[in-house]
Amino acid sequence: MDHLLSWLIFLPALGAAALVFVRGTSAVRGLALLVSLATLVLAVFLFLRFDPGSSDFQFVERARWIESFQVEYLLGVDGISLLLVLLTAFLTPLAVLASWTVEHHVKAFMAFLLLLETGMLGVFASLDLVLFYVFWEVMLIPMYFLIGIWGSERRIYAAIKFILYTMAGSLLMLVSILALYFLTGARTFNLLEILETVQLPYGTQVWLFWGFFIAFAIKVPLFPFHTWLPDAHTEAPTAGSVILAGVLLKMGAYGLLRFCLPLFPEVAVQWAPFISFLAIVGILYGALVSMVQPDLKRLVAYSSVSHLGFVVLGIFAFNAQGIEGATYQMLNHGISTGALFLLVGMLYDRRHTRLIRDFGGLAHSMPVYSSFFMIVTLSSIGLPGLNNFVGEFLALQGAFIADRFYGAVAASGVILAAAYMLWMYQRVHFGEVHLEENRQLRDLGKREIVILVPLVVLMVWMGLYPATFLRRMDASVEQIITRIDTLGRTYTVEKTSRPIRP
Amino acid sequence: MDSFWLIPILPLVGFLANGLVGKRLPKQAVAWIACLVVAASLLLSARAFYALMQVPPEERHVIHPLFTWVESGDFVARFEFLLDPLSAVMMLLVTGVGLLIHVYSVGYMWAGEGFYRYFAYLNLFMSSMLLLVAANNLLLMFVGWEGVGLCSYLLIGYWYFKKSASDAGKKAFVVNRVGDFGFLLGILLAFLTFQTLDFQAIFQQLGPEGEFAAESGKWGTLSWIAFLLFIGATGKSAQVPLYVWLPDAMEGPTPVSALIHAATMVTAGVYMVVRLNPLYSLTPGVSGLVATVGIFTAFYAATIALVQRDIKRILAYSTISQIGYMFAAAGVGGYAASIFHLSTHAYFKALLFLGAGSVMRALQNETDILRMGGLRKYLPVTYWTFLAATVAISGVPLTSGFFSKDEILVRSFSSGHTVIGIVGLATAVLTAFYMFRLFFLTFHGEQRLAPELRRGIHEPPPSMAVPLVLLALLSLFGGYGYGYLEGFLEPVTGEPLPARGEHSEALVLLTAVASGLGILAAYLFYVRNPTWAAAAQQALGGAHRLLWRKYYVDELYDRLFVHPLKRVSDHFLWRGVDERVVDGAVNGTAGLVRDLSGFLRQMQTGYARAYATWILLGTVGILVYYWMGG
């Protein structure tokens, strides 16, 4: 099938356009679901057709776009972006299904959700810097509206905060992209060509690195750029939170892997200790602040800060375990935190509150719900045998190999994760039912179970047989590491006469 | 032997069956499924054990690979099981005691709600425990290690509507996580050091041909690995300083206390140390620490048990204390002795808990032994079986506990660890005292029951009585096979230590005397002169209160860790750093932009006069700039 990637990316957008001609709420929902499922089918097809043995970009599509600036329409996926494309395509139908409870402006809501999917898929598949930037920005708009229109009480504040933070970051990135084009004399935005031909002096690398890095760090979010996240997550509608946590945050980490490391390996190596330090602060800080949140969504949001800290830590370990663990952790976080937001959303649909103290004893009134919640909680705290453990362990092993002290401090995050998640679980599900409103709560319906089952199946699968996913990223990760080892270490060796890894 | 990999898998099948459809099945079906899968595992364990005996000792080592679990770069952890004498003994023990407790549970849990949930968890526990025991590498062992912790958490909080129960479950999990943090670091460092996590590959490097030498006199990488893993053991096996969760864990159903918090899970740390004995043999510093922590815990927990009134909590402290003995044994190099005590303890402690369950069932969940008394004539089966377990744990000669305790003391003295031996003897006196105190207060003397409880005291049904009797036989006679056990474990634990030493006959006598002293004292205080106990409590005053309040350690941990952590997170990190500093900076910037744009907006008033003024000001500004710049 030719143009598989283009079809995959623009199918949701076509679907969004088609929604205009559909009447009736249920038809709109049905079509949106159908389109997102068709996209998932294409993504699975892509996944199966992908050749894990090759480190090259696959399914490459290339066309001229803006000739005067050599901007190209250049798409392609490697093992890392392949998995993120799959994650996006997997989470979107679940987000659509979870939005069955949206009553107002359903058509617009679903259209924005599908446009968002196009933006996200485009980000992961673009190999031209301008194209990447365009998708990166396009994606903001539907997200802004999803939060701003369908969010809860403080939605306007959250939406503006979200957009301002992200814009600040993307502005820096835009400057860096342009500088890369003009300053280096590369005269191309084609990432592959730049990687092959451009050799930048260290002084230039530093500036461009930080331009990209801050944009991505805000997205991750890396401490201290994280304060947009609790607000955005909390105020967004369920589907928005799922996509935000599940996919949008991954773009930051993906950007680090795709651009910061290969383009500026020397700076990356040089600054790795500092960035790892921020990651560790995020791990512990996110966990501690999570512990005292009164609002379920805020708790999950801060836990994301902690989880994504492991991702950044793994990336900047520059070894196979670290980067594979980090990439795997991106998927895991998408699955587990996505599931958590879905669960909290189901509760919100029933009780219109997210405050932990408004619940208690739910295991009594909603046993099926509580069982699902337990499995997802266990996945989130990294119980061995479930998905998160594999990613967390590999990222930690990688970090530990790179630097024992950092690895050890980061590992203490596992204690805190158990503390805040189990305490939350206890207060929501255990104990006596102390509020009348909670006594007669309806347990999960069919639609809700259909949403949760695939997530739980994946948690077990990814925990027991990670090879399905890990083997597809081997070659690409290997390539990044080779690049770091050949280009990135030189500077360090000369300057400090001591390699990072003895 | 090939089918031994099914041993951990079968209970998992039971878990899935009962967990997914158990709610719709009749109770009988749930019980049959749960018990049958464990029985099948027991049969397979027995077959594997028998098969191992048929081959020469050096071939008693079978690996069954299932699939590659985690692989990344040069890191590989396979999902594979190991059958060797140590895992065979453990599997037999776990499935054997496990089956008895499953059967007992059918009767014990019959009346309550959520019958299927209970058995699903119990099966999941069996599966995790067997995985822990059968794992062939550290990472897979960690899966079982955390899995049993999870089941412990779920079962402690089984009566989730009770706050005390769900609190206890959470405490158990979090305290265990502190230990697991150490265990995890141990794994990370082990891989960094050995480039593998497979037991055999590690032992090869530790062997005579390997590059690692014994770290006596210095504290090198090996010592760090051994130490970090031992931190995990102090959590799982409830040793000082991480023992605090186990007494609270008694909130769970009593058969759970018997299976998980006495016979099997809590001994996982001991198993781990024995499994890694080639490592601990090369790190005498850490082994010394293991022995010291073990014997200190043994003594310390025994002192607390002296004054407690809750029947299950006394047994919990006694468990902590007895596991201390096992670590002491492992620490002085008596690995086989350690496993020996682990198995005899499994019999008598499981029996003690099941007996306590039988008492509680008869008394509508009364647990205060000061409100019991005189139960002997109402509960004869419970009485006699409980007595069998009590004499065994007290080390009365010729019972199983006597042999295993004596073996530990002999190993301590003959390896030159005199202090450990002496403290061990002293603890034996305390053990005999507090156990017989419990026994006398429960079954002898006058009846101190609340009036409404006096009616309807009755023995349990046969499904509960039969496990009691079988365990009683094991408690009394389970100590006779030690010579054989030691020989069987030899391929794993290494050659038995040299001769038992010249004083071993004297020690046998001393062990017997220690147990006799404790029993005599308990008899004098609680049967002969019941007033003495109150008088002693009066006389001791502060010391008694210190023991009664368990040395205030829970309060101390709360003050030191729990409260400060919450306060710092809430007031400093969240409301301070996050909302004031970071958000403050962001909002400050936003405010600045707003003010600035407000100012700029004022410039665009639409009045020509205002624009003229601005143009004038602008021109002046430019002129001044050029003039200054020259």
Side-chain angles (χ1 to χ4, degrees):
Chain A
M1 191 173 176
D2 284 339
H3 306 296
L4 185 55
L5 272 178
S6 291
W7 276 107
L8 180 62
I9 293 172
F10 290 105
L11 186 62
L14 288 175
L19 280 180
V20 176
F21 305 104
V22 179
R23 280 169 184 280
T25 310
S26 50
V28 167
R29 287 174 182 157
L31 182 62
L33 182 64
L34 199 69
V35 170
S36 61
L37 282 175
T39 314
L40 175 60
V41 170
L42 283 183
V44 172
F45 187 63
L46 189 80
F47 181 78
L48 296 175
R49 287 259 310 263
F50 184 85
D51 170 19
S54 158
S55 65
D56 291 336
F57 282 89
Q58 301 181 29
F59 310 100
V60 174
E61 289 176 39
R62 188 168 187 178
R64 291 178 189 169
W65 184 21
I66 309 171
E67 299 219 13
S68 47
F69 286 101
Q70 283 86 37
V71 178
E72 294 176 42
Y73 176 78
L74 180 61
L75 300 176
V77 288
D78 69 348
I80 296 168
S81 41
L82 172 80
L83 294 174
L84 292 166
V85 164
L86 190 65
L87 176 72
T88 310
F90 173 75
L91 285 178
T92 309
L94 300 182
V96 170
L97 258 180
S99 308
W100 243 237
T101 48
V102 171
E103 301 285 350
H104 305 289
H105 310 295
V106 178
K107 194 184 277 188
F109 183 93
M110 293 296 178
F112 279 132
L113 208 51
L114 291 174
L115 282 177
L116 188 60
E117 185 176 19
T118 289
M120 297 184 296
L121 293 171
V123 164
F124 292 130
S126 301
L127 293 177
D128 181 280
L129 291 169
V130 174
L131 189 64
F132 173 83
Y133 184 78
V134 168
F135 278 121
W136 178 275
E137 295 287 309
V138 158
M139 176 200 79
L140 288 181
I141 299 159
M143 197 42 148
Y144 172 77
F145 285 117
L146 283 179
I147 299 175
I149 298 177
W150 289 274
S152 37
E153 303 82 39
R154 294 174 69 212
R155 56 183 180 266
I156 303 294
Y157 171 73
I160 290 176
K161 198 169 175 185
F162 165 74
I163 217 90
L164 280 182
Y165 253 103
T166 321
M167 290 295 260
S170 34
L171 208 63
L172 288 171
M173 181 164 72
L174 182 63
V175 172
S176 290
I177 291 177
L178 293 178
L180 203 57
Y181 180 83
F182 290 109
L183 278 185
T184 65
R187 302 290 153 167
T188 175
F189 292 107
N190 180 329
L191 180 66
L192 305 177
E193 273 179 37
I194 294 175
L195 284 175
E196 259 172 43
T197 54
V198 176
Q199 282 278 12
L200 295 172
Y202 183 79
T204 321
Q205 274 198 33
V206 173
W207 287 103
L208 299 185
F209 174 87
W210 288 107
F212 278 98
F213 182 83
I214 290 176
F216 298 140
I218 289 173
K219 208 62 161 200
V220 165
L222 189 67
F223 179 90
F225 303 110
H226 64 278
T227 61
W228 65 272
L229 179 110
D231 285 309
H233 270 70
T234 312
E235 302 305 322
T238 303
S241 308
V242 172
I243 297 294
L244 205 53
V247 185
L248 257 68
L249 304 189
K250 311 304 157 354
M251 291 180 177
Y254 170 76
L256 294 176
L257 271 175
R258 176 66 70 237
F259 301 100
C260 282
L261 262 56
L263 283 173
F264 320 108
E266 292 175 38
V267 194
V269 171
Q270 189 70 3
W271 283 90
F274 176 68
I275 294 165
S276 305
F277 171 76
L278 287 182
I280 290 172
V281 172
I283 292 173
L284 302 180
Y285 181 90
L288 287 172
V289 176
S290 244
M291 198 152 59
V292 291
Q293 294 306 309
D295 179 304
L296 279 169
K297 264 191 162 179
R298 281 190 100 82
L299 186 148
V300 180
Y302 275 109
S303 82
S304 292
V305 177
S306 185
H307 285 293
L308 269 295
F310 283 106
V311 173
V312 175
L313 187 68
I315 290 176
F316 282 86
F318 306 129
N319 52 39
Q321 291 85 18
I323 295 183
E324 294 202 343
T327 310
Y328 203 57
Q329 201 51 13
M330 290 189 220
L331 307 180
N332 290 331
H333 180 262
I335 306 281
S336 304
T337 307
L340 277 174
F341 276 122
L342 287 165
L343 284 165
V344 175
M346 291 170 187
L347 209 50
Y348 186 79
D349 289 342
R350 287 168 172 70
R351 287 277 281 103
H352 298 284
T353 171
R354 292 178 309 256
L355 291 182
I356 294 175
R357 65 176 147 81
D358 287 341
F359 300 104
L362 291 192
H364 194 75
S365 40
M366 303 172 71
V368 179
Y369 176 77
S370 291
S371 307
F372 274 110
F373 209 125
M374 175 55 80
I375 299 171
V376 176
T377 300
L378 294 173
S379 152
S380 178
I381 64 178
L383 186 84
L386 295 175
N387 55 345
N388 267 281
F389 175 73
V390 178
E392 245 171 51
F393 176 78
L394 284 177
L396 279 175
Q397 182 76 67
F400 195 79
I401 291 171
D403 186 312
R404 290 181 193 193
F405 179 71
Y406 278 3
V409 177
S412 67
V414 301
I415 305 176
L416 297 173
Y420 68 77
M421 286 303 286
L422 292 182
W423 191 36
M424 177 272 284
Y425 191 88
Q426 180 192 18
R427 284 176 295 164
V428 171
H429 298 271
F430 291 156
E432 299 277 0
V433 182
H434 62 86
L435 286 178
E436 262 327 292
E437 298 91 312
N438 295 331
R439 203 171 297 280
Q440 298 301 333
L441 283 181
R442 167 172 57 80
D443 208 341
L444 294 188
K446 280 209 183 73
R447 175 183 60 88
E448 292 167 318
I449 291 178
V450 166
I451 295 176
L452 292 172
V453 166
L455 289 163
V456 169
V457 169
L458 265 182
M459 284 172 200
V460 177
W461 181 357
M462 294 176 74
L464 288 180
Y465 199 71
T468 319
F469 305 97
L470 287 179
R471 291 299 72 79
R472 282 189 167 67
M473 61 172 99
D474 280 340
S476 308
V477 169
E478 184 62 38
Q479 204 183 27
I480 293 177
I481 294 171
T482 314
R483 198 172 164 87
I484 292 271
D485 282 341
T486 49
L487 296 176
R489 307 282 187 197
T490 45
Y491 180 85
T492 321
V493 176
E494 282 164 18
K495 281 287 171 186
T496 63
S497 68
R498 181 181 69 88
I500 295 281
R501 229 178 358 180
Chain B
M1 240 185 311
D2 298 329
S3 51
F4 84 92
W5 63 275
L6 279 169
I7 297 172
I9 304 296
L10 285 172
L12 188 68
V13 175
F15 158 71
L16 289 175
N18 276 334
L20 290 176
V21 296
K23 198 174 184 177
R24 290 184 210 104
L25 295 178
K27 281 185 179 176
Q28 281 88 351
V30 170
W32 275 107
I33 292 173
C35 293
L36 277 180
V37 289
V38 178
S41 283
L42 172 61
L43 284 178
L44 287 176
S45 302
R47 211 175 81 168
F49 188 87
Y50 179 75
L52 271 193
M53 292 197 305
Q54 301 306 305
V55 297
E58 59 279 6
E59 287 170 31
R60 291 176 184 169
H61 185 96
V62 187
I63 289 171
H64 192 102
L66 289 177
F67 56 90
T68 300
W69 176 34
V70 182
E71 185 177 3
S72 173
D74 50 2
F75 179 93
V76 187
R78 272 178 289 273
F79 212 99
E80 64 186 5
F81 297 147
L82 165 69
L83 177 66
D84 70 350
L86 180 58
S87 67
V89 167
M90 289 297 291
M91 287 198 276
L92 206 53
L93 185 74
V94 170
T95 51
V97 176
L99 179 62
L100 290 178
I101 294 174
H102 271 69
V103 172
Y104 178 95
S105 296
V106 176
Y108 192 85
M109 302 300 290
W110 191 265
E113 252 180 82
F115 191 73
Y116 75 97
R117 191 163 58 95
Y118 174 85
F119 278 100
Y121 293 164
L122 217 53
N123 273 177
L124 182 63
F125 168 77
M126 292 299 287
S127 180
S128 308
M129 186 71 206
L130 291 164
L131 178 67
L132 190 164
V133 168
N136 190 36
N137 61 60
L138 272 172
L139 200 67
L140 192 58
M141 186 191 227
F142 193 58
V143 179
W145 186 271
E146 292 268 288
V148 291
L150 164 69
C151 299
S152 161
Y153 163 78
L154 291 171
L155 284 162
I156 295 169
Y158 178 71
W159 287 304
Y160 57 82
F161 39 84
K162 276 170 68 185
K163 178 142 185 351
S164 55
S166 64
D167 273 343
K170 188 189 65 193
K171 182 173 176 184
F173 202 98
V174 173
V175 172
N176 264 295
R177 268 280 164 127
V178 176
D180 295 347
F181 165 58
F183 200 100
L184 187 64
L185 288 185
I187 295 177
L188 296 177
L189 188 57
F191 178 72
L192 195 62
T193 311
F194 304 116
Q195 304 304 313
T196 176
L197 293 177
D198 284 356
F199 292 134
Q200 285 318 302
I202 291 176
F203 298 160
Q204 228 146 40
Q205 296 182 44
L206 292 174
E209 291 102 57
E211 51 189 304
F212 295 96
E215 293 182 344
S216 41
K218 64 179 176 7
W219 188 274
T221 312
L222 293 187
S223 296
W224 273 106
I225 299 172
F227 172 70
L228 289 167
L229 293 173
F230 178 62
I231 291 180
T234 58
K236 188 73 46 195
S237 295
Q239 298 293 289
V240 170
L242 296 179
Y243 68 94
V244 287
W245 64 273
L246 189 61
D248 288 16
M250 298 300 121
E251 289 286 342
T254 307
V256 168
S257 311
L259 177 61
I260 301 184
H261 304 119
T264 55
M265 181 191 83
V266 286
T267 58
V270 179
Y271 168 77
M272 187 273 294
V273 172
V274 176
R275 170 58 74 202
L276 294 176
N277 69 77
L279 175 67
Y280 284 89
S281 303
L282 291 185
T283 55
V286 182
S287 286
L289 182 73
V290 171
T292 311
V293 167
I295 204 67
F296 175 75
T297 307
F299 183 79
Y300 170 85
T303 58
I304 298 177
L306 292 176
V307 302
Q308 299 301 311
R309 295 168 55 170
D310 182 306
I311 187 168
K312 288 185 72 181
R313 283 182 185 250
I314 297 174
L315 293 178
Y317 281 106
S318 146
T319 304
I320 297 172
S321 171
Q322 295 297 311
I323 296 171
Y325 272 114
M326 299 172 206
F327 278 112
V332 302
Y335 300 111
S338 182
I339 292 295
F340 183 35
H341 195 59
L342 190 160
S343 52
T344 61
H345 175 258
Y347 311 142
F348 58 68
K349 189 51 67 64
L351 176 53
L352 285 170
F353 270 112
L354 296 187
S358 172
V359 169
M360 285 163 59
R361 183 177 170 278
L363 302 182
Q364 295 171 26
N365 291 324
E366 177 62 68
T367 56
D368 186 347
I369 53 173
L370 293 188
R371 299 216 239 144
M372 294 181 185
L375 292 177
R376 177 185 173 182
K377 58 181 174 203
Y378 298 103
L379 302 169
V381 178
T382 308
Y383 172 79
W384 286 108
T385 51
F386 205 91
L387 178 62
T390 310
V391 294
I393 190 177
S394 304
V396 169
L398 304 182
T399 62
S400 65
F402 170 75
F403 290 115
S404 56
K405 202 175 286 183
D406 177 56
E407 183 64 23
I408 291 175
L409 295 174
V410 169
R411 287 297 165 218
S412 307
F413 281 111
S414 67
S415 61
H417 295 84
T418 316
V419 179
I420 288 176
I422 291 171
V423 179
L425 270 174
T427 307
V429 180
L430 296 182
T431 307
F433 177 80
Y434 70 71
M435 279 313 301
F436 270 89
R437 167 179 175 265
L438 166 68
F439 179 74
F440 289 139
L441 284 176
T442 307
F443 292 102
H444 285 263
E446 59 178 305
Q447 222 185 37
R448 298 176 301 274
L449 288 173
E452 68 273 15
L453 293 183
R454 297 197 180 179
R455 262 168 294 124
I457 301 180
H458 57 285
E459 281 284 23
S463 73
M464 291 167 66
V466 170
L468 290 181
V469 174
L470 289 175
L471 282 170
L473 294 175
L474 282 168
S475 302
L476 291 177
F477 308 112
Y480 286 103
Y482 180 59
Y484 178 75
L485 180 73
E486 193 180 32
F488 184 67
L489 287 176
E490 197 188 309
V492 180
T493 56
E495 303 219 348
L497 292 166
R500 288 169 50 106
E502 41 201 274
H503 305 300
S504 62
E505 282 79 17
L507 256 179
V508 170
L509 202 64
L510 267 179
T511 313
V513 168
S515 128
L517 271 178
I519 298 172
L520 181 69
Y523 176 74
L524 289 176
F525 272 80
Y526 296 99
V527 179
R528 197 68 185 276
N529 309 295
T531 49
W532 287 12
Q537 187 177 331
Q538 282 287 320
L540 286 172
H544 182 272
R545 202 174 317 122
L546 188 66
L547 292 180
W548 170 243
R549 300 297 301 271
K550 302 159 276 185
Y551 297 98
Y552 297 95
V553 169
D554 273 327
E555 288 82 352
L556 184 74
Y557 283 5
D558 262 1
R559 287 268 171 83
L560 274 182
F561 305 113
V562 181
H563 290 307
L565 209 57
K566 273 186 195 159
R567 210 167 295 164
V568 164
S569 306
D570 196 346
H571 297 290
F572 178 66
L573 292 181
W574 180 33
R575 293 184 212 279
V577 176
D578 234 49
E579 301 216 317
R580 294 252 168 75
V581 181
V582 181
D583 258 9
V586 173
N587 292 340
T589 317
L592 197 68
V593 172
R594 195 172 50 230
D595 293 350
L596 199 65
S597 42
F599 173 67
L600 291 176
R601 196 170 54 226
Q602 281 173 11
M603 292 163 62
Q604 298 180 6
T605 49
Y607 294 110
R609 203 175 27 185
Y611 286 138
T613 317
W614 288 119
I615 292 168
L616 180 69
L617 280 175
T619 319
V620 171
I622 292 168
L623 283 176
V624 168
Y625 176 78
Y626 276 104
W627 178 59
M628 298 283 284

